[in-house]
Amino acid sequence: MLVPIFTLKLNHKINPRMVAIGKYDGIHPCLTAATQAGKVFIHNPHTRGQRPAAHRLSQSTQDSDISLLNINQAVSCLTAGTLGPNTTGHTLLVGSQTNLLAYDVHDNTDIFYKEVTDGANAIVLGELGDIQYPLAIIGGNCALQGFDFEGNDQFWTVTGDNVRSLVLCDFTADGKNELLVGSEDFDIRVFREDELVTEMAENETVTSLCHMHGSRFGYALANGTVGVYDRTARYWRIKSKNHAMSIHAFDLNDDGVVELITGWSNGKIDARSDRTGEVIFKDNFSSSVAGVVEGDYRMDGQIQLICSSVEGEVRGYLPASKEMKGNLMDASVEQDLIRELSQRKQNLILELRNYEENAKALPGVSEGESKMGVIPANTQLQTALSVRRATESQRAHIELNISTPNETIIRAVLIFAEGIFEGESHVVHPSVQNLSGCVRVPIIPPKDIPVDLHIKAFVGGKTSTQFHVFEITRQLPRFSMYDLSVDPSATQPTGKVTFSINDRPQRVVMWLNQNFLLPEGIDSPDITFTTLRAGGLLKINMQPSGEVDEFHSVHQKLTAAMADHSNYIRNMLVQAEDARLMGDWRNMKKRFIELYDLNRDLINEYKIRSNNHNALLARLKSVNRAIQRAGRLRGGGQNNVITACRDAIKNNNINALFKIMRAGTASS
């Protein structure tokens, strides 16, 4: 639980997601926020009476504790923290769509002022990877850029779409920070400096990210969703009709584990367990929340959670003491709990009544049995997915077919799917005249991501008034909007990408069957698809190759060619000597010219053979090193593994070689 300990009324409106706490003199924390008039205000109640020098910073006429920093253009992001290696106080960083300003508030001077052509939609300050000094990293139009304390560009890379949120955390648990990037293409990407480590697909723009602890982080989407990831695994998520304006990690119950604090567009503040998403505290502002930060604002040695609204109201909270926790249950929380328990009671009473009525109807199997919802014991819910191309009356789509195997009918179907339907749910309720045991639902995935379809169907007899609820989950493959192409005359793709993978064709075939909707299983990786979104072709072709085998083949061909040339040389020498003895100088000269040309060809072939042999040795060394490593992994069984690998190579059994190196035996 949190206890409110102070409230401030500032006479400045605050831009959402543009709130920070900075110790600009190294001692006193100052609340800093962007206003709608192209200014940044700095609230410092600790050093009253000290007026700033006349540069960018000026004193507010409405509040003596507030100084104003004139940016003269719309502020798009800001943060504060330690940037320079030898600086005492924090640096204020303010981004706009054209520039980034690093400002020393204490000395009232610019540290640097850099033009940023891609804009600055989000900003984070901290250490990244092996880069020596902290960086001010900004995310703009598909680009990420990092500046050091002198304004030098130390980091630059690109990402998939406009950046909306950034956070630094040790995602890979290697002791170094990675950069997490949320963007408008619904993806959360993880960068180790300029290397893309992984990405998580969401179903809306990622507006906020915050580090919680370890590799765990919170996120918020533009559609009102908030949740928590641990690396690539999502722990939980909830969705609200309101928008999450700011998220922050704070230990509100003093148990050593932070909770996810969320400020909402309707003015609500709530705290949720990082493990379950359960609400354990909430409060309300009269207007939308602008930002949630933390700091020792009272300078009493206790870190407070500081929440501010867009109207300039600021509240500070502290975790409640153990003595107070039992008395701080908010009245609204009690009412919500009572309401939830009452609803649960009504549902249980209704369910019990249905069971009792069904029990009365079962012994006699009377006329009313169908009305009571009694259905055959073999009733099952069956689902099938198929690709449907566009027609004159309907767009291209995936058809979900839901059916029962007997005379029962499906009265209604509810489908819950993330990122496909508006509101993430879809209801199909056929009219009484069209009731049957089959319901077809068109699905159009907006992106190539795997989606779980959670299906609930109401099944009963044709005259039933009560229905059984069947639940089933079916996964929509990642590339479901691609149809198998059967038109050989179609124009082939003009562009292509060629790359090597260390896998067998059978593994690629397995991947194709798992990620595409194919009418029946395929046995070859050579296949062509038509994309239903744009109508273009996707052609996949795989050619297995083995470099060692190729070099062996070339070596054998060159050896055979040299043997043929050697026999030809013997014949040329005999013919030349015969011509000399017979005094046939013209034929003798002709034979020696042919011998000269043949010798030159032999020398060139020897060079080719020598280069091929060296390349073959290099590849064999690589294979031998891999075998040695595989043997070391087996400890006492090292000699057996090496011997088995040698035998597999002698027998040219590459599949057995791979199995031995992976598992230590060819029989696994």
Side-chain angles (χ1 to χ4, degrees):
M1 295 296 295
L2 290 174
V3 181
I5 55 171
F6 69 81
T7 301
L8 301 173
K9 298 287 187 179
L10 306 179
N11 296 317
H12 294 274
K13 293 189 176 182
I14 301 175
N15 287 351
R17 303 186 181 94
M18 298 184 200
V19 182
I21 291 281
K23 294 181 179 180
Y24 302 115
D25 60 357
I27 301 173
H28 303 97
C30 302
L31 182 67
T32 307
T35 70
Q36 299 174 354
K39 296 181 180 181
V40 173
F41 77 73
I42 301 162
H43 180 256
N44 183 5
H46 310 292
T47 56
R48 290 190 171 100
Q50 298 182 11
R51 298 188 65 83
H55 180 50
R56 286 182 181 268
L57 208 60
S58 61
Q59 197 75 28
S60 171
T61 58
Q62 299 173 315
D63 193 328
S64 60
D65 293 339
I66 289 180
S67 301
L68 295 175
L69 181 64
N70 294 304
I71 305 300
N72 297 323
Q73 54 184 320
V75 177
S76 54
C77 59
L78 66 79
T79 191
T82 302
L83 181 61
N86 300 315
T87 55
T88 302
H90 288 170
T91 299
L92 174 62
L93 294 150
V94 183
S96 68
Q97 288 305 314
T98 56
N99 298 95
L100 174 65
L101 168 66
Y103 193 73
D104 187 331
V105 175
H106 183 258
D107 293 337
N108 199 9
T109 58
D110 292 356
I111 298 175
F112 63 79
Y113 187 71
K114 302 292 292 187
E115 181 179 352
V116 287
T117 55
D118 295 308
N121 302 329
I123 187 168
V124 67
L125 175 57
E127 296 181 351
L128 174 63
D130 292 318
I131 299 175
Q132 184 176 3
Y133 298 113
L135 296 181
I137 303 172
I138 58 172
N141 180 18
C142 306
L144 300 166
Q145 199 168 1
F147 298 93
D148 64 13
F149 61 97
E150 294 179 339
N152 299 318
D153 190 348
Q154 297 287 356
F155 166 73
W156 185 90
T157 189
V158 295
T159 186
D161 205 338
N162 291 331
V163 177
R164 292 289 300 276
S165 51
L166 298 170
V167 72
L168 290 164
C169 77
D170 187 5
F171 182 86
T172 57
D174 61 354
K176 302 172 185 177
N177 280 342
E178 283 77 35
L179 178 66
L180 276 63
V181 182
S183 54
E184 292 183 358
D185 62 354
F186 309 170
D187 282 345
I188 302 172
R189 295 180 174 86
V190 182
F191 288 88
R192 183 187 292 115
E193 295 187 20
D194 58 354
E195 175 192 357
L196 179 62
V197 177
T198 188
E199 55 188 346
M200 290 77 77
E202 281 296 333
N203 57 9
E204 250 295 351
T205 299
V206 184
T207 56
S208 297
L209 294 168
C210 77
H211 178 223
M212 303 195 72
H213 58 85
S215 57
R216 193 170 300 184
F217 63 93
Y219 73 98
L221 307 181
N223 62 0
T225 298
V226 296
V228 167
Y229 273 94
D230 194 342
R231 294 194 181 180
T232 57
R234 186 167 60 196
Y235 265 36
W236 58 266
R237 72 180 185 105
I238 62 98
K239 187 175 180 183
S240 170
K241 62 182 180 181
N242 302 299
H243 301 293
M245 307 305 292
S246 179
I247 58 175
H248 187 76
F250 187 78
D251 183 7
L252 63 85
N253 50 14
D254 206 21
D255 62 352
V257 179
V258 294
E259 283 72 38
L260 183 65
I261 315 297
T262 308
W264 298 89
S265 57
N266 64 345
K268 184 175 71 172
I269 295 281
D270 63 33
R272 296 176 181 270
S273 166
D274 75 317
R275 298 178 182 87
T276 63
E278 177 188 1
V279 176
I280 53 181
F281 170 81
K282 63 181 179 180
D283 197 2
N284 287 282
F285 281 80
S286 58
S287 58
S288 173
V289 175
V292 180
V293 293
E294 67 176 63
D296 183 7
Y297 215 59
R298 299 195 306 175
M299 299 194 67
D300 58 1
Q302 295 178 296
I303 301 298
Q304 300 103 42
L305 181 72
I306 302 171
C307 306
S308 56
S309 73
V310 295
E311 296 297 327
E313 182 182 358
V314 180
R315 296 181 194 170
Y317 300 87
L318 273 178
S321 62
K322 292 182 180 179
E323 293 77 13
M324 297 178 63
K325 285 181 181 178
N327 302 319
L328 287 176
M329 175 65 80
D330 188 36
S332 60
V333 175
E334 287 185 347
Q335 292 173 1
D336 290 344
L337 185 59
I338 292 172
R339 190 180 303 111
E340 180 184 350
L341 292 174
S342 299
Q343 183 64 45
R344 191 181 302 175
K345 176 183 176 183
Q346 292 297 324
N347 292 339
L348 290 172
I349 291 174
L350 181 60
E351 186 175 353
L352 180 60
R353 188 177 303 158
N354 288 337
Y355 281 130
E356 290 173 348
E357 291 177 352
N358 282 334
K360 293 176 182 178
L362 281 174
V365 191
S366 62
E367 180 185 351
E369 78 169 337
S370 62
K371 292 187 178 181
M372 293 299 105
V374 177
I375 59 176
N378 66 343
T379 304
Q380 295 178 338
L381 198 64
Q382 300 172 341
T383 62
L385 291 167
S386 56
V387 180
R388 292 287 183 265
R389 297 202 177 197
T391 63
E392 293 182 358
S393 59
Q394 196 169 26
R395 295 169 56 191
H397 62 278
I398 307 302
E399 184 176 272
L400 171 63
N401 188 301
I402 306 168
S403 61
T404 57
N406 47 38
E407 297 300 320
T408 55
I409 57 100
I410 300 176
R411 189 65 185 88
V413 173
L414 284 76
I415 305 174
F416 301 90
E418 186 178 341
I420 292 183
F421 305 115
E422 185 177 354
E424 300 189 4
S425 62
H426 182 67
V427 179
V428 179
H429 198 284
S431 62
V432 176
Q433 295 80 10
N434 296 321
L435 290 177
S436 68
C438 179
V439 172
R440 294 180 175 86
V441 183
I443 299 174
I444 305 177
K447 295 181 64 180
D448 291 334
I449 56 174
V451 178
D452 286 333
L453 303 174
H454 302 282
I455 304 166
K456 294 185 179 183
F458 298 171
V459 179
K462 293 184 178 180
T463 59
S464 294
T465 57
Q466 297 179 10
F467 296 89
H468 291 258
V469 178
F470 284 77
E471 297 187 26
I472 192 171
T473 298
R474 180 73 186 267
Q475 187 179 68
L476 198 63
R478 179 181 294 274
F479 303 109
S480 54
M481 289 292 283
Y482 292 79
D483 190 20
L484 193 62
S485 179
V486 294
D487 184 5
S489 63
T491 304
Q492 296 301 305
T494 55
K496 68 175 183 178
V497 176
T498 303
F499 56 91
S500 299
I501 59 173
N502 297 321
D503 232 325
R504 293 169 293 146
Q506 290 81 1
R507 296 283 295 174
V508 178
V509 168
M510 185 183 302
W511 178 83
L512 289 169
N513 285 320
Q514 290 174 348
N515 288 275
F516 290 82
L517 273 179
L518 299 171
E520 55 187 37
I522 60 170
D523 54 10
S524 170
D526 301 333
I527 193 169
T528 302
F529 294 98
T530 300
T531 172
L532 301 186
R533 294 191 181 94
L537 291 182
L538 169 65
K539 186 174 183 179
I540 300 174
N541 180 266
M542 185 177 182
Q543 297 179 345
S545 63
E547 291 184 332
V548 172
D549 288 342
E550 290 175 0
F551 284 122
H552 270 303
S553 177
V554 173
H555 181 270
Q556 292 171 357
K557 289 179 181 177
L558 290 173
T559 301
M562 290 183 70
D564 291 341
H565 287 163
S566 297
N567 293 330
Y568 195 44
I569 285 173
R570 292 192 192 98
N571 294 332
M572 288 294 104
L573 282 172
V574 171
Q575 292 177 14
E577 185 63 15
D578 289 343
R580 185 184 68 79
L581 294 174
M582 294 172 61
D584 188 357
W585 309 115
R586 187 175 65 85
N587 282 331
M588 185 189 75
K589 183 178 180 181
K590 181 179 179 182
R591 296 292 176 261
F592 276 111
I593 290 173
E594 291 175 354
L595 278 171
Y596 176 82
D597 293 335
L598 191 59
N599 183 64
R600 184 183 59 194
D601 292 339
L602 277 172
I603 293 173
N604 291 335
E605 287 178 3
Y606 173 78
K607 291 179 180 178
I608 295 172
R609 187 172 182 267
S610 177
N611 293 334
N612 181 77
H613 180 70
N614 292 333
L616 174 60
L617 287 179
R619 298 303 183 274
L620 289 174
K621 285 181 180 178
S622 299
V623 173
N624 288 335
R625 289 194 197 101
I627 292 173
Q628 291 291 339
R629 294 192 192 102
R632 291 194 201 103
L633 290 174
R634 306 296 178 239
Q638 177 176 354
N639 293 335
N640 294 335
V641 171
I642 292 175
T643 301
C645 288
R646 295 281 190 246
D647 292 338
I649 291 175
K650 288 179 183 178
N651 298 327
N652 199 27
N653 191 341
I654 304 303
N655 290 334
L657 177 63
F658 288 157
K659 288 182 179 179
I660 295 166
M661 294 176 71
R662 279 197 301 264
T665 174
S667 60
S668 298

